[in-house]
Amino acid sequence: MPIVKIFGQSLRTTARKARLLAFLWPTYFLFAILISAPFYFLFQSHFSRSLMGEKLLTGMDILWLGDLVYRYQESTPLLLGWVLGTSLLFLVFAAFLNGGIIGRIAAGEERVTFPGFFGDCGRYFGRFFRVFLVSLAGYFLLAVVGRIASVPFRLWSKGASTEWTTLASSSLRLLVFLLLFSIVRMFFDYVKVALVSDDSRQVLRTTLRNFGFLGKRFFSAWSLFLLVGLIFILITLVYLTIAKMLPKTGIGPLLLFLWQQVYFLARLWTCVLFFATEYHFLKAHRTASQSNL
Amino acid sequence: MKRAAWPSVIALGMALLLAAPLRATQETRPPEEPGSPVRYQIDVALDDAGKILRGREEIVWRNTSRDEIPDMWFHLYWNAFKNERSAMLEESREDGSLGRSLPEEGGWGYVDITRLTQADGTDLLPTLEFMTADLPLHSQDRTVARVLFPAAVKPGEEVRLLVEFEAKIPRTIARSGYYQDSYFIAQWFPKPGVYEEGRGWNCHQYHQNSEFFADFADFNVRITVPSDFVVGASGKQMSAVSAADGKTVTYTFEQARIHDFAWTADPDYLKVERDFLAGQEVTAEEYAGLAAKLGIPEEELKLPDVKMILLIKPEHKAQIERHFKALRAGLKYYGLWFGPYPYETVTMVDPPFRTGSGGMEYPTLFTAGTGVLRDKKVLSPEGVIIHEFGHGYWYGLVANNEFEEAWLDEGINTYSTGRVQAKAYGPGMFSASLFGWPLTRLIHFPVYFDFELDRLAAIMIAERDPVTTASWLFSSRMSYAMNVYMRASTCLNTLERYLGEATMLRVMRAFQMRFRFRHPRTQDFIEVVNEVSGQNLTWFFEELFFAAQNFDYGVSKLVSQKKRGRDLGVFEVDGKKQEVKPEDVERQEKQDKEKGEKAYITEVTLRRFGEARLGGQARVKLRVVFEDGNEEVREWDGLDRWESFRFETPARAKFAQLDPDLVWLIDSDLANNSLKLKPGRGGVTRLTARFLFWVQNHLHLLSALI
């Protein structure tokens, strides 16, 4: 099945499963509140009874920033530790959520419900967490390959006689790294999708089989993946363009916050779209293989 | 540097460490004679293939002191790049930055004196010895050398020296060097130190944190380079003569009354010239307004025309006019505020790629530095152009000892740069880029004035080292930079707010014009401040410059309660004891309410949280605002640890605010300068909401890994 058709199918599936966003957005929001809470209380203790508190982020001056940095410079390790710790916890939680997303996509015409979504989260969590552990090997390989791939750019930059060379070199190095990262990410996405599609618990076997599957269809799978990535970039550019135009004072901060949440919803939507395209691609090519047999 | 035994040297080091005020009470400095005590005639040739300079220098040095001087101390700055045992590189190792400082193989630099004679042929080279007098000791540093004269140089006498030297150009470590066929050449020739009457030669080693100090001199320099090179240098180009074979060109530059000479050569430079025409740049209204503000005749303010020369790399060609606009702003405002620029030319250099020579000042020449993708909203390169040009005033003309009192040029110039930038451009945007691509084109970052960021650094470093610490004796490179640049600048901004803009301008102008072509010290600046302001502000410098203390005043308590009509207890009324019960109090309150009588007792407690104190006539203002819109204002001298104020008013207090005019910018905690009776959440919620969004982004980015 051509990529365009699969993409169209995925868009329809994503639209049908839009209710996933109703579970995902609050989850991310609540987790973000959990991480932000200590900072809120810190800011509150320092600024709530000060006239300076009224000036925060109104664009009048940034003297409050000096106060904040000075006051909490000793607390930085503690705060960073908090953010790091909760971030690691979130990694585990993200594996949990991915199960629900892919599970509901694979559920076909079934409506997305609260028990259905979180049931799938639970059902696939163990498998997806094992996929994450296996993927660490993939990221390690990425680091090695990335380092090797960066050598010609470093050599090119070393002999540079103008800044354009170093700019081009670092930009290309970043692009190569991002493309390699997208391959690793796509590979393990397909492993997760295959586990759900086959209702299998055999992570290693599915991972190995995935080499075969993607090996035969690499460029079409990757093109589809990059297409969704491009949509994500376009959404970000639209967000930044409109965010710049919003007023900085008055109702502006509230509008900005709302716009930021709309943007975040769009990011979650692309997340669902990624999995939907992978699911339909897998299904289409598996069906085609079986038909050929 | 005292030419004395070790105990005196150690005593000097201890004195600097303890940051004892450099008072004129212990010594009386003789007035400096005007005119240049030194003349240089230098011929130098660049060997592009070997990366070597071969030079011949004729130095005429006049003894302007009343001492008989038996020796001469020289700076040989490039020996700092000779090996890892130099003071600079040893200090870099201690700082943890040595790896970044080390040159590649073959990239070391040094300067060798191959011949040194007096005009009569007396060979002084055998008497040459290297001196390592600064503490802590770096015994193998070779950046200071001394030679002995056969007979002491008497007061008023001149000595003529012929010096031949060979200097290996380093692959840039600090400010000077080469990259491929681009050169920036600074601190390259053997240079005498400064002789101070009664104290000896002031000739410090080249440290990681220090800059330079030299006598004013008249320079005539002939530079021979391959013919395809474009050359820029301090002073005015007098001629460019091709060799007979056409392979080289000799450029001659001259400049009187400067204390350093730098030059640059690169075949790729574009040389662009413009004229600063004062008649077009400054209006009659501006002259009149400023003359009235400063209380001086307009004629004293008139600016001269100046030739502006820009050497810029081709890839930055699109920014030529940005460079000139910034330089015009510098020439105009430094000139109007502090005194006219006294030289005919100023050369602005876009430093060659990877020569590490950007953002540095030399008399009549400075380097800026930019990038190929620079957003106009970010004031770069404008900020660095204004700053480095400004050093032509603070360090170039008012030539402080940058080793010992770096704040006198860096701090004053940072303060001046912020003023000029604010006047010419307004606030600039935070700069942020990703792999060289400016993010400011996509994201609206906050805009700020320099003094806001300077204050951030100033308060963070308050208790580390005094601002007046000698450069190489700061506890770290960060402390040096943040103290001499930002803390000094913030203190000067505070002084301006305290004195008022007009008085501060008069102070700065007086200091500039009085000490042009001289070597002032901190005490000289303090005396000018006291004289022009009419106040004794020595306390200001003692608290904020000579000591490492935190300045923090705040409102620690605000209570505002209804005054009770009656109090509980037993009272004598008409000779009889009468008990006032709770019901009596309630009845009274009801009556007061019916009559509409209200009175509130408001108590405000101010505290001095830091060790630094106000002094002299300085007071900090307290403003209390009440719910009916009325205000009460009081003043406090801030000497004690706390002070309370009591008000009886018809309305409850809304808030108490200390220093409402934000005079004391150096205060490390401005949030505690005000206290509201009722807490608010609006600002904190705004800030947290913004933070929340970035946390969401962070979480979503993490989920890409899973």
Side-chain angles (χ1 to χ4, degrees), chain B residues 200-238:
Chain B
W201 286 96
N202 191 308
C203 195
H204 291 287
Q205 292 161 254
Y206 194 3
H207 297 276
Q208 189 204 24
N209 286 341
S210 65
E211 293 195 358
F212 313 104
F213 185 44
D215 269 322
F216 283 92
D218 299 337
F219 283 85
N220 180 297
V221 181
R222 289 196 285 254
I223 304 168
T224 303
V225 296
S227 55
D228 57 338
F229 278 70
V230 177
V231 171
S234 300
K236 188 176 171 183
Q237 182 178 317
M238 306 305 288

Side-chain angles (χ1 to χ4, degrees), chain A residues 25 28-29 31-33 35-36 39-40 43-44 46-58 60-71 73 83 86-88 90-92 94-95 98 132 135 139 157-164 166-167 170-171 174 181 185 189 192 232 237 239-241 244 248 253 256-257 260-261 263-264 267-268 270-271, chain B residues 104 179-180 313 315-316 353-354 370-374 377 430 434-437 440-444 446-449 451-453 455-456 459-460 462-463 550 552 558 623 655-657 662 665 667-706:
Chain A
W25 180 84
Y28 271 86
F29 192 77
F31 213 97
I33 285 182
I35 295 178
S36 306
F39 295 91
Y40 172 79
F43 298 152
Q44 189 73 346
H46 193 65
F47 290 118
S48 67
R49 288 190 68 192
S50 171
L51 291 175
M52 190 175 250
E54 294 165 11
K55 288 190 195 174
L56 298 178
L57 291 180
T58 54
M60 288 162 69
D61 63 51
I62 59 161
L63 290 172
W64 57 268
L65 188 63
D67 267 39
L68 212 55
V69 172
Y70 170 72
R71 187 70 179 254
Q73 56 182 315
V83 173
T86 46
S87 300
L88 288 173
F90 183 80
L91 270 182
V92 176
N98 283 346
F132 167 62
S135 74
Y139 289 123
S157 182
K158 198 174 177 187
S161 51
T162 75
E163 200 186 329
W164 284 117
T166 54
L167 187 65
S170 60
S171 301
L174 175 66
F181 177 80
R185 170 66 202 261
D189 274 359
K192 285 182 278 218
F232 166 71
L237 288 174
Y239 158 72
L240 288 172
T241 306
K244 264 182 89 168
K248 303 289 170 281
L256 178 64
F257 179 74
Q260 285 170 341
Q261 297 311 311
Y263 167 62
F264 198 71
R267 285 174 72 153
L268 293 174
T270 53
C271 197
Chain B
E104 309 152 347
Y179 176 70
Q180 295 181 348
K313 299 292 282 180
E315 60 267 28
H316 300 147
F353 181 62
R354 285 186 179 160
T370 186
V372 288
L373 301 169
R374 286 291 163 103
K377 298 188 287 291
F430 270 104
L434 186 66
F435 291 88
W437 297 90
T440 47
R441 291 190 204 272
L442 290 173
I443 301 172
H444 184 92
V447 294
Y448 67 98
F449 289 102
F451 76 83
E452 292 171 300
L453 273 197
R455 177 184 166 264
L456 194 162
I459 61 181
M460 285 181 68
E463 290 166 310
N550 196 19
D552 182 12
L558 171 66
R623 173 180 170 242
F655 62 82
Q657 189 181 19
L662 194 52
L665 188 66
D667 191 308
S668 59
D669 188 345
L670 295 177
N672 72 8
N673 281 17
S674 56
L675 195 58
K676 298 192 291 190
L677 210 54
K678 292 174 197 164
R681 283 183 167 70
V684 172
T685 305
R686 256 195 315 273
L687 184 60
T688 313
R690 191 71 63 89
F691 182 76
L692 186 85
F693 173 64
W694 289 108
V695 172
Q696 284 176 297
N697 281 319
H698 161 71
L699 294 177
H700 194 241
L701 203 65
L702 273 183
S703 69
L705 294 174
I706 202 83

